[in-house]
Amino acid sequence: MQPICFTNAHIYAPDAAHTWHTAMLVEQGRIRWIGHPDDLGPQVNATTISLDGGYILPGLTDAHTHFLALALLAQRVNLRGTRSLAEALQRISAYATKTNTMWIEGHGWNEHEWEEGRLPTRHDLDAILPSRPVALSRIDGHLLWCNSLALQLAGITADTPDPEGGQIDRDEQGQPTGILRETARRLVSRVIPEPPLDTKADALLAAQRHAHSLGLTGIHTIESALALEAYQTLERENRLRLRILFMPLYDALNALRAANKQPGSGSAWVRLGQLKLFSDGTLGSRTAWMLEPYSDAPDEHGLPTYAAEELHALVAEAHRAGWPVAIHAIGDAANRAALDAIEAVPPHASPLPDRIEHVQLIHPDDVPRFAQLGVIASMQPIHMASDWRLANQRWGERARWSYAWRTLRAAGAVLAFGSDAPIEPINPWPNLQVAITRRDLDGQPPAGWYPHERLAFADALDGFTHGAAIAAGLPHEGRLTLGAFADFIVLEQNPFTIPPNALAKVRPVRTFVGGEDVLEANP
């Protein structure tokens, strides 16, 4: 393929002066030269493409998604935005009349936004769908709401013990209410049939088109190992145009070892990443693990997924096998336990770093440990927009150390930013806006929530570009430099001059992956 010289552009170089180059030569999907057209010389035989004076940034990477779950959600009932249990039930019933699937699956309910102000139960679902099993994830993905038939198919009764790291909610008579917390969700999820491969692939293609429209050229996705085949199928068919870091759940370790798979193995399109572990739950479900009790529930500390020695053993086993870990940690106790486990065991030999996912509340004593241990802080700014009021209520004065982007970065931590889609929309631009303003998308609080944690645009952008690349074990990527992938986006405006409160509405006019205009290829 003939080289392409992209001209008439403002190409961002993340140096101290925020230099803007004017041209870039791309060959075989990588950047071979960057500078001014007059410096390239006439001896280079290249096709010239004008970028019409646009502002060029590296392609964005979402460093924390559940991408197949997001893709499949378009085919399931979406309960995001419901304002009452009654509205949710109405939406579920309407969906059920339009689908022939045996299982009714969905996502996005949030009892804190319902006028009833209570958790739903199996009886609520039984009233509308007694003869089809129903399983609906809470908006944070850590609670599952089921009807009686779903519980029956999973073998859950009053005598079923709580699994380690999980809880079956029970009523006053000891009967399951239909709410399953944390690892208890697996009791039902393991009996739900997998969608066919072609269903997964078609859903991923639609999600890929949406991602491109937002300027995403790569994602890190946390999935069951069963999802990997769908990505590999698209790659074999030459239809994959997102760079995928596939992060399997920890229970895939034995199968990966048996197949002689290693972290970082794969291709330019699909690579294996860190093994996903959990240290606790979430703020919204009050299962985030705390060093001190919740401010609004003085008898509760949250729910650790593993005892300290068990978490150490799991991380040690992964490291011995050469695998880094990505540990979900929300509360300050969970973050400390994750750091303790990584510090306590021998290091792994992989070029990919260990990571902690979310880092929503950190004790100040643990801030410097990220840089000291080389652990990536994989964070999602949009969670601050959704959670700041609840964080004030449940964490009180400790909330000063929540979503501590600037503090962690100043202490030398590498930040990798993402959306946690489908928990939040996959759009990176609202994330950038929140990271810079410390306000939610309604502009609240007006002065910013703990505004000392605001980031400059360049630093927030780095979380979606170079920081995400470092988290994937590719420190030479995520910037428009020689030898890097030619993954970039074209904006009509200089992003450094866009008002911070307008960033959420930004969209690229063109998105390139490997030098190919993927928006043009997928209208």
Side-chain angles (χ1 to χ4, degrees):
M1 182 181 294
Q2 191 174 31
I4 301 172
C5 187
F6 293 95
T7 63
N8 188 19
H10 302 83
I11 303 169
Y12 173 64
D15 54 25
H18 301 315
T19 301
W20 297 95
H21 300 295
T22 57
M24 179 169 61
L25 184 70
V26 173
E27 185 176 12
Q28 296 182 333
R30 292 187 177 271
I31 299 170
R32 300 304 182 196
W33 171 89
I34 191 166
H36 188 278
D38 293 344
D39 300 329
L40 183 56
Q43 72 276 12
V44 175
N45 183 23
T47 300
T48 299
I49 295 179
S50 172
L51 295 178
D52 302 320
Y55 289 83
I56 315 305
L57 296 179
L60 306 180
T61 293
D62 190 315
H64 185 114
T65 74
H66 310 274
F67 197 64
L68 181 57
L70 171 69
L72 290 171
L73 184 58
Q75 304 171 11
R76 297 172 178 172
V77 60
N78 187 348
L79 300 178
R80 182 183 293 274
T82 52
R83 296 300 176 185
S84 67
L85 173 59
E87 182 185 355
L89 292 170
Q90 183 179 32
R91 196 176 292 186
I92 296 162
S93 181
Y95 169 83
T97 63
K98 296 186 293 185
T99 180
N100 295 321
T101 59
M102 180 179 76
W103 280 83
I104 303 299
E105 297 179 76
H107 172 82
W109 59 272
N110 184 354
E111 78 281 8
H112 296 302
E113 295 182 351
W114 287 349
E115 61 187 31
E116 292 85 355
R118 67 167 175 87
L119 282 170
T121 71
R122 60 187 172 94
H123 304 296
D124 298 315
L125 291 173
D126 292 347
I128 61 169
L129 286 169
S131 57
R132 293 166 75 180
V134 184
L136 307 162
S137 292
R138 191 181 184 277
I139 193 168
D140 58 12
H142 287 251
L143 269 63
L144 196 65
W145 172 28
C146 305
N147 69 350
S148 295
L149 182 55
L151 297 178
Q152 178 185 333
L153 292 172
I156 299 173
T157 69
D159 297 325
T160 304
D162 289 344
E164 182 180 21
Q167 177 181 303
I168 301 169
D169 280 16
R170 305 171 196 270
D171 61 22
E172 293 179 354
Q173 288 73 44
Q175 296 295 325
T177 68
I179 295 295
L180 306 176
R181 298 175 185 264
E182 304 303 337
T183 60
R185 295 171 295 133
R186 300 175 194 165
L187 301 175
V188 166
S189 62
R190 67 190 181 192
V191 301
I192 301 176
E194 275 288 307
L197 180 59
D198 59 349
T199 297
K200 295 178 183 178
D202 289 345
L204 285 174
L205 283 176
Q208 175 177 260
R209 287 191 292 272
H210 179 56
H212 287 156
S213 74
L214 300 170
L216 290 166
T217 60
I219 59 161
H220 301 177
T221 184
I222 299 162
E223 312 268 12
S224 159
L226 294 172
L228 181 58
E229 185 181 5
Y231 296 97
Q232 293 173 329
T233 296
L234 293 181
E235 181 183 10
R236 284 194 302 271
E237 295 173 353
N238 196 32
R239 295 195 291 170
L240 188 61
R241 290 296 181 272
L242 279 173
R243 303 199 190 276
I244 308 296
L245 184 74
F246 188 90
M247 301 165 63
L249 299 179
Y250 187 92
D251 60 13
L253 176 57
N254 288 336
L256 291 166
R257 278 194 292 206
N260 199 29
K261 298 291 187 181
Q262 294 297 322
S265 63
S267 68
W269 295 108
V270 183
R271 297 169 62 247
L272 290 174
Q274 295 86 345
L275 293 174
K276 176 67 181 296
L277 272 167
F278 289 85
S279 182
D280 69 344
T282 66
L283 169 63
S285 57
R286 205 185 271 117
T287 52
W289 185 21
M290 307 298 298
L291 292 170
E292 300 294 337
Y294 281 85
S295 297
D296 62 343
D299 295 328
E300 295 188 32
H301 284 78
L303 186 63
T305 309
Y306 300 103
E309 60 274 14
E310 294 172 302
L311 186 60
H312 287 201
L314 291 168
V315 176
E317 180 69 10
H319 279 200
R320 277 195 299 271
W323 285 85
V325 293
I327 305 178
H328 166 113
I330 302 291
D332 51 6
N335 277 284
R336 177 168 292 178
L339 291 165
D340 287 348
I342 292 169
E343 184 174 27
V345 306
H348 57 83
S350 166
L352 280 74
D354 291 308
R355 322 166 31 147
I356 295 181
E357 306 299 315
H358 307 306
V359 198
Q360 285 189 9
L361 182 66
I362 188 77
H363 190 281
D365 291 350
D366 294 320
V367 167
R369 300 177 69 193
F370 283 83
Q372 292 165 1
L373 298 174
V375 174
I376 303 295
S378 173
M379 305 176 76
Q380 301 76 45
I382 198 67
H383 284 327
M384 189 229 84
S386 300
D387 291 349
W388 68 268
R389 290 180 176 87
L390 193 58
N392 279 340
Q393 174 186 332
R394 295 193 168 174
W395 292 342
E397 293 182 359
R398 289 169 292 181
R400 178 260 174 268
W401 295 98
S402 59
Y403 316 94
W405 313 313
R406 189 169 183 175
T407 294
L408 283 162
R409 184 178 173 89
V414 173
L415 306 184
F417 279 165
S419 64
D420 203 6
I423 308 306
E424 299 281 359
I426 199 169
N427 191 345
W429 299 98
N431 273 280
L432 286 165
Q433 177 170 313
V434 172
I436 293 163
T437 65
R438 295 288 292 193
R439 297 191 292 264
D440 62 28
L441 299 182
D442 294 323
Q444 298 299 318
W449 190 65
Y450 296 107
H452 61 275
E453 293 292 356
R454 287 187 297 226
L455 292 175
F457 177 79
D459 295 337
L461 176 67
D462 192 73
F464 277 103
T465 53
H466 192 230
I470 294 172
L474 299 171
H476 55 288
E477 299 293 348
R479 290 178 174 169
L480 299 178
T481 56
L482 298 185
F485 288 126
D487 301 343
F488 60 93
I489 61 175
V490 183
L491 304 180
E492 290 183 316
Q493 290 179 267
N494 181 344
F496 286 87
T497 63
I498 296 173
N501 61 0
L503 279 169
K505 296 180 179 179
V506 169
R507 299 292 182 274
V509 292
R510 303 176 79 173
T511 298
F512 289 83
V513 180
E516 175 190 356
D517 189 338
V518 291
L519 288 186
E520 186 177 77
N522 296 288

